[in-house]
Amino acid sequence: MSDAPKLLLAALALVVLLTALAAAAWLVWGPPWSEMQIWIDGHRMEMPPMHVGHWLVAAAVLVVLFALAAVLLPVVLLLAVGLPMLAAGIVLAVVLSPLWIVVLLVWWLLRRDRRSAAGPPSAVP
């Protein structure tokens, strides 16, 4: 197994561990920003306290986003970089193939023989 999948799995495991630690910290010390106030143009808005469900949903969304990024990023790179490079490699392999050079050389030799055979007749006295 190469290093990239191991690194992505380690990053995903780290996110899951940090999410579990955040949930445990919430259970022990309570939610952060339990009474948040927002001031907009001099008007005060109070946000209701966030409950454990909010934090669990936020943690689940983060885990899903990191998992999707771990899957979609390599696919996007493959489609955006890998396939054009593969197509260019195939085109170059066909164009620069030694077989094509041999075929062109044989075609040139055969065509040259036909031209000399079909040339104007020489005048013989």
Side-chain angles (χ1 to χ4, degrees):
M1 193 174 190
S2 68
D3 289 337
K6 287 181 183 179
L7 184 65
L8 290 174
L9 286 175
L12 184 62
L14 182 65
V15 168
V16 170
L17 178 67
L18 289 176
T19 303
L21 286 175
W26 182 86
L27 290 173
V28 173
W29 292 295
W33 308 303
S34 59
E35 293 183 20
M36 189 182 335
Q37 296 178 2
I38 299 176
W39 292 84
I40 299 176
D41 292 333
H43 298 287
R44 186 175 121 192
M45 295 177 51
E46 290 189 20
M47 300 297 291
M50 295 179 71
H51 300 288
V52 70
H54 297 113
W55 292 107
L56 289 177
V57 168
V61 166
L62 285 177
V63 169
V64 168
L65 285 177
F66 278 111
L68 282 175
V71 172
L72 292 179
L73 184 64
V75 170
V76 167
L77 286 176
L78 174 71
L79 292 176
V81 176
L83 288 181
M85 288 183 70
L86 180 66
I90 289 173
V91 167
L92 284 175
V94 168
V95 168
L96 300 177
S97 171
L99 182 61
W100 285 108
I101 294 172
V102 170
V103 167
L104 288 174
L105 181 62
V106 169
W107 177 76
W108 178 71
L109 287 172
L110 290 175
R111 184 149 172 103
R112 190 180 70 157
D113 289 339
R114 284 188 201 161
R115 266 196 233 147
S116 63
S122 61
V124 177

